[in-house]
Amino acid sequence: ETGVTQSPTHLIKTRGQQVTLRCSSQSGHNTVSWYQQALGQGPQFIFQYYREEENGRGNFPPRFSGLQFPNYSSELNVNALELDDSALYLCASSLWGGTLNTEAFFGQGTRLTVV
Amino acid sequence: GEDVEQSLFLSVREGDSSVINCTYTDSSSTYLYWYKQEPGAGLQLLTYIFSNMDMKQDQRLTVLLNKKDKHLSLRIADTQTGDSAIYFCAEKRGFQKLVFGTGTRLLVSP
């Protein structure tokens, strides 16, 4: 158990719809990153949030957006869903800043299926 | 994971040693990681190595790093059936972005 929880665990959406995925970070962590893992592939970095601001972004279109809240939990929003958005979405939390930095610990993921 | 490469599949017998290999491209990476993923699950951090180290041992796990060749390996001693999973190497770039390989599926037979 990493202490990182994601909801929901599974989700089915229709092409064109919007989806919100949620992540609660591990206690004491201030940074949340989101990754997309397509079937048979390694995880791909979507973006990272640090202190409620986007702190880096991978090669994903603007219809992928996010939020981080004061309690460091986070949301990933995807608009205008496409079939290729079907994947396992992983959230990772870590502590970053100063001399104390931790590794990224992952949640169990949300399996999104777009039909 | 286009810049981090791993072999796709490894099959070993229970009790043997397993060696999973990885090559990466960014020589400025500070940390390199090994994660384990079981079917339908998230990623479990197994171990990591700082870029100024050559080797790190953690119980049954040994990580070797060859910075000159940008080659990373994970050796699992006395492999058990419970070790069957997909293993990902990852390099940390910049702030805290991880770049993952495509994963190596380890199958351990009794």
Side-chain angles (χ1 to χ4, degrees):
Chain A
E1 287 291 327
T2 63
V4 181
T5 58
Q6 294 186 242
S7 62
T9 54
H10 296 83
L11 198 54
I12 300 175
K13 288 286 191 178
T14 303
R15 190 172 49 181
Q17 284 188 313
Q18 178 265 343
V19 69
T20 297
L21 310 182
R22 294 179 175 82
C23 172
S24 293
S25 57
Q26 185 169 313
S27 177
H29 286 183
N30 58 9
T31 302
V32 173
S33 302
W34 287 92
Y35 291 81
Q36 180 196 66
Q37 186 180 18
L39 198 60
Q41 302 294 317
Q44 298 284 317
F45 176 76
I46 303 174
F47 44 54
Q48 180 185 86
Y49 278 83
Y50 171 65
R51 291 186 175 179
E52 302 178 56
E53 291 193 2
E54 190 179 288
N55 188 40
R57 189 178 184 93
N59 189 26
F60 281 82
R63 60 190 185 83
F64 285 77
S65 63
L67 283 173
Q68 187 180 31
F69 300 99
N71 66 355
Y72 303 121
S73 64
S74 177
E75 287 182 355
L76 164 65
N77 298 290
V78 187
N79 293 324
L81 283 165
E82 300 177 0
L83 298 180
D84 284 349
D85 295 333
S86 295
L88 180 68
Y89 288 85
L90 294 163
C91 164
S93 80
S94 57
L95 176 65
W96 189 49
T99 57
L100 186 63
N101 298 305
T102 71
E103 284 54 58
F105 292 93
F106 285 79
Q108 293 300 296
T110 294
R111 172 75 60 188
L112 173 65
T113 302
V114 182
V115 298
Chain B
E2 67 275 7
D3 295 333
V4 180
E5 295 185 354
Q6 299 179 239
S7 52
L8 291 180
F9 188 74
L10 176 65
S11 180
V12 301
R13 299 182 71 91
E14 194 172 23
D16 288 349
S17 292
S18 306
V19 180
I20 302 171
N21 295 301
C22 170
T23 57
Y24 61 98
T25 57
D26 190 347
S27 58
S28 65
S29 295
T30 52
Y31 286 91
L32 295 133
Y33 299 86
W34 284 102
Y35 283 87
K36 176 184 180 183
Q37 187 174 40
E38 297 185 78
L43 298 174
Q44 175 192 353
L45 175 64
L46 288 178
T47 187
Y48 63 92
I49 189 166
F50 188 50
S51 58
N52 69 352
M53 297 170 64
D54 298 324
M55 186 183 84
K56 180 179 180 181
Q57 188 153 2
D58 185 359
Q59 299 182 339
R60 293 191 297 125
L61 305 178
T62 303
V63 179
L64 295 178
L65 175 60
N66 181 331
K67 281 197 72 175
K68 175 177 171 291
D69 295 336
K70 298 190 184 70
H71 183 264
L72 182 74
S73 68
L74 173 70
R75 178 177 180 270
I76 305 173
D78 187 25
T79 315
Q80 303 297 306
T81 54
D83 294 324
S84 293
I86 301 176
Y87 290 79
F88 292 95
C89 68
E91 54 175 335
K92 180 186 282 189
R93 294 190 190 172
F95 37 97
Q96 288 210 342
K97 170 184 174 180
L98 295 176
V99 177
F100 286 86
T102 50
T104 299
R105 184 178 295 274
L106 174 64
L107 179 63
V108 183
S109 53

